[in-house]
Amino acid sequence: MTTTPWRIPKTKHGHKTFDHIIACGKKLFSSKGFQATSVNDIIAESGVAAGTFYIYFNDKLALYTYILNDYKKKIRDTIHQDTKHCLNRRDLEREGLKSFIRFAYQDNLAYNIIWESLFIDKSIFQDYYENFAQRYVEGLKKSHAQGEVRDVDFETLSWMLMGIANFVGLQVLFRVHVTEEELDRVADSVLDILEHGMFKRPIGS
Amino acid sequence: MTTTPWRIPKTKHGHKTFDHIIACGKKLFSSKGFQATSVNDIIAESGVAAGTFYIYFNDKLALYTYILNDYKKKIRDTIHQDTKHCLNRRDLEREGLKSFIRFAYQDNLAYNIIWESLFIDKSIFQDYYENFAQRYVEGLKKSHAQGEVRDVDFETLSWMLMGIANFVGLQVLFRVHVTEEELDRVADSVLDILEHGMFKRPIGS
DNA sequence: TCATAATATGAATAAACGTTCATGTTGATA
DNA sequence: TATCAACATGAACGTTTATTCATATTATGA
């Protein structure tokens, strides 16, 4: 039996408090970052007593871990929802990229909270991306078997694609407003390069 | 006249103390991260009195800013040194990638300190990457003019290439040991994909 | 040699922090 | 309505934190 650093409430009323603390935590982590947010801040924001926080969470890290796990699922689900209609690898990459950036834009805590884990507990960060890469590799292998993807180092390709999504995501996130048209334009640019490479071929090849 | 949050010493002896504090700061930021390191930690590590720290630095952030600026130059210089012999864009990308990863591996504080800035002061992070992207765009435009690079969205391509370097770098950094051969192999994989794309072309195209 | 600017000290202060726990309240069930 | 587990409280405690400042030391060149 494994125990979590948080405690799931047993009554409806408890759930309300629990959820409220989480909502306030998200809000503060999102605006100030994890490290800059104190337990006192969370207590003040949520209006509960100090002791109440510790009924549900061992400490600040426990709340962070809970929220992070939440987002892991949410990101996967969102991308899955947005790409399940895709019939080929090109569409899958395009829609996956758009889905990731859109998600990060709509709720930038999702983005921050995973990156920040690198400075809270490196193993959380490493686990997250290695797991993501592993799934990516499996998908790419399937697409390769179906003749859609070239025979390359799939692990490196996975990390390349994650890097592209994250940094192109950043580029977009630095803008004030992001429209669906911009998202399409950026995704098209990326896919064009993933399709034809970045270099001009010598004439006649 | 602009003032820095740090104070350059005026004697040889002062420089010794100044440099020693910086070295200890680097060591601690590198192992524990910026946020987890307190001024007290730096004082204890360096063996100077509390007041001495404040002779040279306004606060912890000032020391961080100093180190960050140092690394900015160092990264640029290192990549420049390692790529100045390159005669074409392919070589430039390949050697630049290897240089970046090698640098990050040898001194992973350089890597951490820039990423962590996202959670210390977003504008530092944004400035750094937007500046880097801008230089990248200029370089790509030149290579395009010389017929080496296809006509694509250079800004998006810049962010893609930065994302690739950063994440493929991470992938490599997660390993315990990194050899020059591995670096070559990974760089070749990346360049192969940047050259030919990731997708298989339909037969006859 | 003396004057003085630069450098160094570390006890002291106050604010912020995480966490505990004795006490109180609630609501469902028997 | 009596009981009891779940939930909630917030004053209180000990710790860590950043920062100051009166005092001391050092090195140099006038």
Side-chain angles (χ1 to χ4, degrees), chain A residues 17-18 20-21 40 42-54 56:
Chain A
T17 308
F18 183 74
H20 184 235
I21 292 171
N40 285 342
I42 298 162
I43 287 162
E45 177 74 26
S46 60
V48 300
T52 307
F53 178 87
Y54 290 97
Y56 298 109

Side-chain angles (χ1 to χ4, degrees), chain B residues 7 10-11 17 51 56:
Chain B
R7 184 187 151 286
K10 296 175 181 172
T11 70
T17 309
Y56 298 109

